[in-house]
Amino acid sequence: MPGFGNDFETEALYGALPVGRNSPQRCPYGLYAEQLSGSPFTAPRVANERSWLYRMRPTVRHFGAMVPVDLPFWRSAPVRGEARTPPVPLRWGATPIPDEPLTFLTGMRTVCAAGDASGHQGSATHLYLATRSMEDDYFYNADAEMLVVPQVGALTFFTEMGIIDVAPGEIAILPRGCKFKAMLGDGPARGYVCENYGAKFTCPDRGPIGANCLANPRDFLTPVAAYEEKDGTACTLTVKWGGDFHVTQIDHSPLDVVAWHGNYAPYKYNLRNFSPVGPILFDHADPSIFTVLTSPSGEPGTANVDFVIFPPRWLVAENTFRPPWYHMNIMSEFMGLIEGVYDAKPEGFVPGGMSLHNCMLPHGPDTEAFLKGSFAPMEPAKLDNTIAFMFETLLPQHLTRYAAEHPELQASYPQCWAGIEKNFDPTRPEWSG
């Protein structure tokens, strides 16, 4: 179903969705009515999010004895003090997908985090490494919504509100409190996750851009209702709450929603549908023009988290240094590369790799990119076969021990700028290299 933030209605069985009321005395087919609220009851209409689910069993029946379980590599903020976070730019190579059996949950590896999961502020950034499907294993995250960015391998998220197939070049958003299991598509999978503790992601305001371009609402897709009827089977439900994990054993699938309506639901988006805008005469715009989704903070114009992409696009600006410029930013920037080459780092930043440029730490083009950008012909050029992304946040990111001790951490990363020399010559107004 297309559209961003729409009020949807869908049923997997004809007549399962009550008409004209949310909670009839007796629901069709003996179903139970249950509301899933993604906002306070009294939130303004524009921000009020809830969906009514019509299910075989209410969620209270999905719980038994809750047993603590340790997922040691999945960390929640605050993680400060777990490892030293040096005040330098950091970069990692691609993490190999191991041979051991790992699900989307057990293969989660936290790189950095900030804020407080219990305080509903900040975010955590993870890698996931998955080699097997969650057949009878289910999960929901009470701490955060999850933005999933596949890099290798397709995933199918069977959620309680429908099925989402997502592949590299697409993203999926799984709302806080939504139950799901993750199934592998065509083999092992690797990718990135932003676990957003704060305000849920929404489309950014376009301002003077107007009604079109960037991420258009029609390109966001929400699944139609689908249910899994599985009785008498040993199933495991894992719940993340307050940064801790608990497991309960149940004898049925919790993905038993036959119909639902509302505006709080999972969705997907194809990054190739992003319509970029940019300078068409001279100079270089800020990377914020590539924002797909934003999680606002309490401060106007400052994001809890922005999800930004750098897609294929034309470069046409005249007499302009076209690669990203050197800068220091009050925001912290985690970057990943889905495919291709990133124009500011043609060497060392590989698909499946990642970098972290924390608050007020300098970064920009490496030596090769600077020289190429300084003397490239000023004719239209297309950046093609590339998709990079950035999680940008107002909070400085603190490393986990996993990231600080990762074998792919590139200790030599700052050396990519070592070849940048002093070119200043007061006798030569025109620098010719």
Side-chain angles (χ1 to χ4, degrees), residues 73 91-97 109 127 129 354 400-412:
F73 294 105
R91 188 169 69 187
W92 295 259
T95 302
I97 302 174
R109 304 289 185 261
L127 292 175
L129 307 166
M354 53 191 178
T400 60
R401 182 174 295 108
Y402 169 81
E405 299 175 356
H406 199 293
E408 292 294 330
L409 179 60
Q410 299 175 1
S412 62

Side-chain angles (χ1 to χ4, degrees), residues 328-380:
M328 297 169 63
N329 191 354
I330 194 170
M331 306 285 278
S332 295
E333 303 174 5
F334 173 94
M335 285 195 64
L337 185 60
I338 300 171
E339 64 182 40
V341 175
Y342 179 57
D343 59 326
K345 301 288 192 306
E347 298 293 335
F349 188 39
V350 298
M354 53 191 178
S355 67
L356 177 62
H357 300 133
N358 245 320
C359 170
M360 286 304 174
L361 299 183
H363 51 285
D366 60 21
T367 305
E368 179 185 347
F370 172 75
L371 292 174
K372 182 178 178 181
S374 298
F375 295 99
M378 287 288 98
E379 58 190 27

